[in-house]
Amino acid sequence: MMKALVLTAYNKFAMEEVPIPLIKDDEVLVHVKAVGICGSDVHGMDGSTGRRQPPIIMGHEASGIIESVGQNVSGWKAGDRVTFDSTIYQLSDWYSRKGLYNLSDNRIVIGVSCNEFRRDGAFASYVAVPQHILYKIPDNVSFEHAAMVEPIAVALHAVNLTDLSLNDSVLLGGAGMIALFIIQLLKLSGCNPIMAFDLDQDRLNLALKLGASHVFKADSENIIEEIKKLTHNRGADIGFEVVGIAPVLKTVIEGVRKGAGITLVGNISPNVELPLQTIVTRQLKLQGSCAICGEYETALDLISRNMIKIDPLISAIVPLEEGPSWFQRLYNHEPGLMKVILQP
Ligand SMILES: [Zn+2]
């Protein structure tokens, strides 16, 4: 048996003794050392997304030590320090074979239960993971930092999909976790100026600390004017929308120059109204970015080489047992609260 933090009903958690997961021949059993609470876990706990149907052990941003391996596992052994992709994809899928595994059909997300699938996650002492989604953690990277690889890889995927050049100016709508990693990656890529807007002043302060050159309160009136002043009166070369709501997208569209590309990462709203004529006549390119497609190794390498700052984004590292109260604080949108990492 093992301990696990179980979502037993919507908005209700319990620490329970549950059986240690059985591994299949191609899976390993990971002894979980650190696991982050994801925004999607917080949004999912009240039933509003339909993707955390109780009872479920959530948690997909995790790291740990391999405890045991299935009989068909090769290249991994007990004692290896690992992290893993948040999704389990089929290697035989048409998209996977094209190198687009993030778009493959019938992907399963670890720690998610919806109408299509149910897979227990890492808010527990142990989690079962197929070998093809494992990544080795560099020796100098802590388990807590390795548990942050998933959001960094999401940011990296968005940046990799964006056509950018040295010294390009960038405008970001939103300064949450993913945006703060995108800002750091853009800084590494030589972008300038890097401009971000958000409603939350704490996040804007963090954005400045992590590489943004200019930040704006989202409700101030002259954002577009300010952006124009910083970009030869043209608008930014590149835009990122990292919230997923109409007013943010609108400001990003208005804040980029003609011919600019905008990468869309946020997707809180299923539908938003688009200023079609503006997009067509200003010849803008909209690029969606979904999850991660192989960026884990690079993300781990950047962490190992100290190229990405993680600590300012970790609000707390606490025992698994304290999970419920931190879930509640995240659910209440406590100001300044970013990533909470649990230790089973
Ligand atoms: Zn996540």
Side-chain angles (χ1 to χ4, degrees):
M1 299 293 276
M2 65 168 187
K3 64 177 176 178
L5 179 64
V6 184
L7 184 73
T8 53
Y10 288 126
N11 297 316
K12 202 167 177 305
F13 288 97
M15 284 299 298
E16 288 184 359
E17 284 287 316
V18 303
I20 292 175
L22 296 171
I23 51 170
K24 298 199 186 107
D25 291 346
D26 66 339
E27 291 182 344
V28 306
L29 187 67
V30 176
H31 187 180
V32 182
K33 294 303 223 177
V35 50
I37 300 179
C38 178
S40 63
D41 296 325
V42 178
H43 292 138
M45 74 183 234
D46 67 359
S48 54
T49 67
R51 290 179 61 80
R52 300 293 189 279
Q53 298 177 8
I56 178 74
I57 301 169
M58 302 193 281
H60 58 263
E61 304 178 354
S63 64
I65 301 171
I66 293 181
E67 178 83 11
S68 60
V69 303
Q71 60 181 26
N72 292 343
V73 169
S74 60
W76 300 98
K77 59 179 189 316
D80 285 348
R81 302 168 79 242
V82 293
T83 182
F84 43 87
D85 202 306
S86 50
T87 62
I88 301 171
Y89 48 91
Q90 302 302 318
L91 289 168
S92 57
D93 183 89
W94 187 87
Y95 290 98
S96 297
R97 295 169 78 165
K98 284 264 180 194
L100 299 166
Y101 77 77
N102 60 323
L103 305 181
S104 63
D105 292 323
N106 305 316
R107 280 194 313 151
I108 288 174
V109 186
I110 294 172
V112 169
S113 49
C114 54
N115 291 337
E116 294 76 36
F117 62 85
R118 146 178 313 274
R119 176 96 188 192
D120 278 335
F123 290 149
S125 301
Y126 297 95
V127 62
V129 179
Q131 62 172 336
H132 74 274
I133 68 165
L134 291 171
Y135 294 89
K136 187 182 182 303
I137 303 174
D139 292 341
N140 69 337
V141 174
S142 68
F143 289 115
E144 289 73 26
H145 282 187
M148 294 288 277
V149 171
E150 200 242 13
I152 297 171
V154 168
L156 195 54
H157 184 63
V159 171
N160 284 345
L161 283 174
T162 306
D163 189 11
L164 56 83
S165 305
L166 205 62
N167 212 45
D168 272 353
S169 53
V170 189
L171 173 63
L172 290 105
M177 175 76 57
I178 303 295
L180 291 168
F181 284 126
I182 291 176
I183 286 170
Q184 297 192 56
L185 295 166
L186 293 173
K187 176 99 176 170
L188 282 175
S189 306
C191 291
N192 183 70
I194 298 172
M195 304 165 281
F197 64 90
D198 196 289
L199 277 173
D200 185 332
Q201 188 60 47
D202 290 331
R203 290 178 171 200
L204 291 177
N205 295 343
L206 260 177
L208 281 174
K209 195 168 156 184
L210 296 174
S213 54
H214 303 80
V215 296
F216 313 103
K217 276 298 288 291
D219 52 5
S220 61
E221 264 158 36
N222 53 355
I223 295 182
I224 301 300
E225 241 169 79
E226 295 294 323
I227 292 164
K228 289 269 172 74
K229 271 189 221 160
L230 293 164
T231 56
H232 308 279
N233 213 30
R234 289 192 292 263
D237 296 314
I238 296 164
F240 283 88
E241 206 288 353
V242 207
V243 182
I245 56 172
V248 174
L249 179 59
K250 182 170 178 287
T251 304
V252 174
I253 287 172
E254 288 171 358
V256 295
R257 66 163 167 80
K258 286 182 268 190
I262 299 174
T263 301
L264 309 174
V265 186
N267 62 104
I268 293 176
S269 321
N271 296 292
V272 294
E273 198 169 300
L274 277 180
L276 179 67
Q277 290 184 344
T278 304
I279 292 168
V280 173
T281 60
R282 301 181 74 231
Q283 205 165 290
L284 303 182
K285 293 181 282 273
L286 301 186
Q287 168 74 56
S289 178
C290 172
I292 296 156
C293 191
E295 288 85 2
Y296 276 81
E297 192 180 277
T298 303
L300 283 162
D301 198 44
L302 290 173
I303 299 172
S304 172
R305 291 163 56 216
N306 239 326
M307 306 294 274
I308 300 247
K309 291 196 187 79
I310 296 177
D311 288 330
L313 299 175
I314 298 179
S315 301
I317 299 173
V318 296
L320 185 64
E321 288 75 5
E322 289 183 28
S325 64
W326 286 96
F327 256 96
Q328 199 53 53
R329 292 171 70 170
L330 288 162
Y331 191 77
N332 295 342
H333 297 289
E334 193 175 300
L337 199 53
M338 299 293 293
K339 183 63 72 181
V340 175
I341 292 182
L342 306 178
Q343 293 175 317

